[in-house]
Amino acid sequence: MLLAAGKGERLEPITDTRPKPFIPILGETLIERTLRFVRELLQNPDIYVIIPDQLEKSYEAFFYKLNNVRFVKQGERKGTGGALFYVPKFSDDILIIYGDIYTTKESIEAVITQEESAILGAEVPNPGEYGSLMIDEGGYLRGIIEKSQSPPSNLINGGIFKVTPDFFEFVDKLQISSRGEYELTDALTNFSRRNKVKVVRTSAVWKDVGRPWDIIEVNKTELNGIHGSVMGNIESNVMIKGEVVIEEGSIVRHGSVIEGPVYIGKNSSIGPNAYIRPYTVIGSNSKIGSFVEVKESVIMENTKIPHLSYVGDSVIAEDVNFGAGTLIANLRFDERDIYVNIKEKRLNSGRKKLGAIIGAHVRTGINVSILPGVKIGSYARIYPGAVVNRDVRRGEFFGL
Ligand code: TTP
């Protein structure tokens, strides 16, 4: 059972046009990657994907492309526990996975292969920011404490659980929490008082993809594991160094330099004379044109950056078009950490290098400059020559 009905507000403007689990991880999406692991680990599982009740057209297009899954719409009851009110009752064990978790296949396997109910405990340096796990001497769950100043362990709720069908009795009894949601973790805490829930510890890579720069980081992790393979067409006088994947139908035109690890999706065009630096992911049907430099960025499908641009440490959603000479700054003069506005708060990204977060269908005119940590809402238009020094709202015409 995959939970995919969250709002993903912290990931806006990227989640304005795509559900959070459809964040690209190289050529796949987060949810496709998890589904692939589950199908490799279990024989013919029944897979339920919990999706929002009201689906925008752009969301429908993503969800309904998933094959061999059953969709369950989450009605009005909010929260991770709220999602479970809408699923049918089962008589088998149930594996529940949050749709926004990036981890290894081995972490999922470690939960699945437990004889008894189990929860993944992910080791993180900052457990107080998550639901931290109270664990007894035998290694069993005693409870989950949300966002505690003195977390009981450095293991947190890893968003992967295996439970017996009677877990749903505890879901049915859920009360609304102080933050106005029905919390799956409350049901688990109550379930763990009557049932043994093994804590499966993992120190493997684990991340909930919640903030825009997480998109860069999880892709970076994935890129560290790739083996180069070139299926596309490479013109003469192109230099490719390190591990670079270039999918079918793509072309790298003469004079371009690609320094891996880099992933280039299907039917994209690079160059002539483009410079693609490490930890770049370019989606399918995109174009990176002449004298364009891209570094440590995730550029989604159908996006065109055709002439004379610099893109560093940025996330650019689908169907964006940059005017010639659009430049993204990724470093402050004082070299301090870059902050980003997230749900009305200014959050430290922890990165000294961070460019822009640009929503789908944005158009920039020629010679636009975009400052570090800026978010540009989907469908916005940026007037030629503008200096984008603040966040731009969805559909706004900036710089006139
Ligand atoms: P969260 O990350 O807690 O919530 P969210 O996805 O709404 O993100 P944000 O805080 O940025 O708005 O959700 C954890 C997982 O549970 C995630 O995969 C989405 C899923 N979920 C539901 O299916 N239904 C819900 O009502 C909520 C809140 C989350």
Side-chain angles (χ1 to χ4, degrees), residues 6-53:
K7 285 211 181 88
E9 281 179 87
R10 290 167 300 151
L11 269 191
E12 281 176 2
I14 304 302
T15 44
D16 192 27
T17 53
R18 69 169 67 210
K20 179 156 76 162
F22 290 82
I23 293 303
I25 306 290
L26 312 189
E28 274 180 319
T29 59
L30 200 48
I31 193 166
E32 287 169 319
R33 181 176 175 276
T34 304
L35 283 170
R36 175 164 58 83
F37 290 161
V38 168
R39 289 199 168 106
E40 284 165 9
L41 292 165
L42 294 170
Q43 276 187 347
N44 296 323
D46 289 326
I47 297 176
Y48 291 80
V49 180
I50 323 288
I51 60 175
D53 201 15

Side-chain angles (χ1 to χ4, degrees), residues 3-10 20 74 78-80 83 98-100:
L3 267 53
K7 285 211 181 88
E9 281 179 87
R10 290 167 300 151
K20 179 156 76 162
Q74 178 174 356
K78 292 291 156 230
T80 46
Y98 287 178
D100 56 348

Side-chain angles (χ1 to χ4, degrees), residues 14 37 50 68 117 137 172 193 266 298 336:
I14 304 302
F37 290 161
I50 323 288
N68 297 325
S117 294
E137 282 144 20
D172 287 341
R193 293 195 177 127
K266 287 185 183 155
V298 176
R336 293 230 174 109

Side-chain angles (χ1 to χ4, degrees), residues 1-5 19 21-22 29 31-32 35 39 46-55 59-75 83 86-88 90:
M1 196 182 299
L2 272 134
L3 267 53
F22 290 82
T29 59
I31 193 166
E32 287 169 319
L35 283 170
R39 289 199 168 106
D46 289 326
I47 297 176
Y48 291 80
V49 180
I50 323 288
I51 60 175
D53 201 15
Q54 309 281 337
L55 283 186
Y59 268 40
E60 269 185 17
F62 281 103
F63 280 123
Y64 294 149
K65 256 195 274 173
L66 294 178
N67 290 324
N68 297 325
V69 302
R70 293 176 218 192
F71 295 103
V72 176
K73 287 195 170 176
Q74 178 174 356
Y86 300 92
V87 296
F90 300 94

Side-chain angles (χ1 to χ4, degrees), residues 211-221 279 296-298 313-315 351 353-357:
R211 295 131 341 145
W213 54 90
D214 293 334
I215 299 174
I216 302 173
E217 315 250 317
V218 290
N219 276 282
K220 194 169 177 176
T221 306
Y279 300 113
E296 198 163 325
S297 295
V298 176
D313 305 88
S314 296
V315 179
R351 293 177 66 108
K353 297 264 182 92
L354 181 65
I357 315 299

